[in-house]
Amino acid sequence: MEFSDVENDIAEVLYTEQEIHAKIAELSRRIEVDYAGEKVLLVGVLRGAVMVMADLARELTIPIEMDWMAVSSYGSGTQSSGVVRILKDLDTDLHGRHVLIVEDIIDSGLTLSWLRGNLESRGAASVEICALLRKPEAAKVVVDVKYEGFQIPNAFVVGYGLDFAEQYRNLRGIAVLAPHVYA
Ligand code: 5GP
């Protein structure tokens, strides 16, 4: 789906498909150097990270494995609370593994901060984070993101896997949703 297919629902285009792919290629080159000689386990966080995971995995020239987790963050309304429930757990034993969490967006940071601690406690050799987007102004906890794509303003964005009410995930680029859509 293109921006023109949903132009009335979009306030501002942030990144085109081409810009996203260029950024993922840039991150991949760094990951390849850092994990040379290792087999990294990419852990995708469902459902938003599906597109980042698919593109990152194909861009990487080193051996990888992929696994998935689904988590839900308890909170009031749209605010994440940091209390996280696992809806779908990994199938992989993390003992001694080099884990790279692949995330679409970091908002408050509470979900990822919890997730990193959870995966570390399973005996992983290392746990790092790759996130395509981060909203620095929304941070409630400091999360060390080794591979960060773009820093964005504190606005609600959709596209490239990110939804509003399960819509817009198939938009090729990333855009700020127009307020009238969720009003
Ligand atoms: P955090 O715990 O960092 O506050 O929450 C991160 C999660 O909130 C993301 O994985 C994503 O599911 C959701 N989220 C945060 N900001 C946005 C946004 O701007 N757009 C969309 N679609 N989801 C968001």
Side-chain angles (χ1 to χ4, degrees):
M1 176 189 268
E2 312 288 341
F3 293 125
S4 57
D5 295 314
V6 286
E7 61 188 346
N8 293 332
D9 299 350
I10 282 174
E12 187 192 350
V13 168
L14 289 186
Y15 303 105
T16 63
E17 184 178 28
Q18 290 71 23
E19 288 169 323
I20 296 167
H21 286 170
K23 181 59 77 176
I24 286 178
E26 192 186 307
L27 295 174
S28 296
R29 300 295 84 82
R30 287 178 47 206
I31 293 168
E32 287 160 5
V33 171
D34 293 351
Y35 291 93
E38 311 281 358
K39 194 205 283 167
V40 60
L41 174 68
L42 303 182
V43 169
V45 185
L46 294 169
R47 302 177 188 143
V50 166
M51 306 296 180
V52 196
M53 182 76 144
D55 284 338
L56 182 72
R58 282 177 294 186
E59 181 64 29
L60 285 168
T61 58
I62 55 170
I64 57 133
E65 287 180 25
M66 283 188 251
D67 203 348
W68 301 90
M69 271 185 95
V71 296
S72 88
S73 187
Y74 288 113
S76 55
T78 57
Q79 293 291 305
S80 173
S81 67
V83 182
V84 177
R85 187 164 57 117
I86 296 176
L87 303 177
K88 186 231 167 278
D89 206 347
L90 298 171
D91 296 318
T92 313
D93 177 6
L94 295 192
H95 205 83
R97 299 299 307 267
H98 291 287
V99 174
L100 181 58
I101 302 173
V102 179
E103 230 333 359
D104 47 0
I105 190 165
I106 303 181
D107 190 29
S108 70
L110 293 167
T111 307
L112 223 46
S113 169
W114 178 91
L115 189 58
R116 169 182 248 155
N118 180 280
L119 300 189
E120 279 170 352
S121 74
R122 303 185 196 195
S126 67
V127 180
E128 297 293 351
I129 294 168
C130 175
L132 183 65
L133 305 173
R134 192 164 69 87
K135 298 181 190 172
E137 295 159 37
K140 287 191 182 149
V141 284
V142 178
V143 185
D144 178 23
V145 184
K146 190 160 185 186
Y147 308 100
E148 179 179 284
F150 303 104
Q151 295 196 357
I152 62 166
N154 198 1
F156 194 82
V157 299
V158 294
Y160 198 69
L162 287 156
D163 75 312
F164 173 68
E166 293 305 321
Q167 297 300 298
Y168 310 103
R169 288 196 199 274
N170 60 329
L171 182 59
R172 291 181 182 275
I174 293 170
V176 176
L177 195 63
H180 76 80
V181 177
Y182 50 85

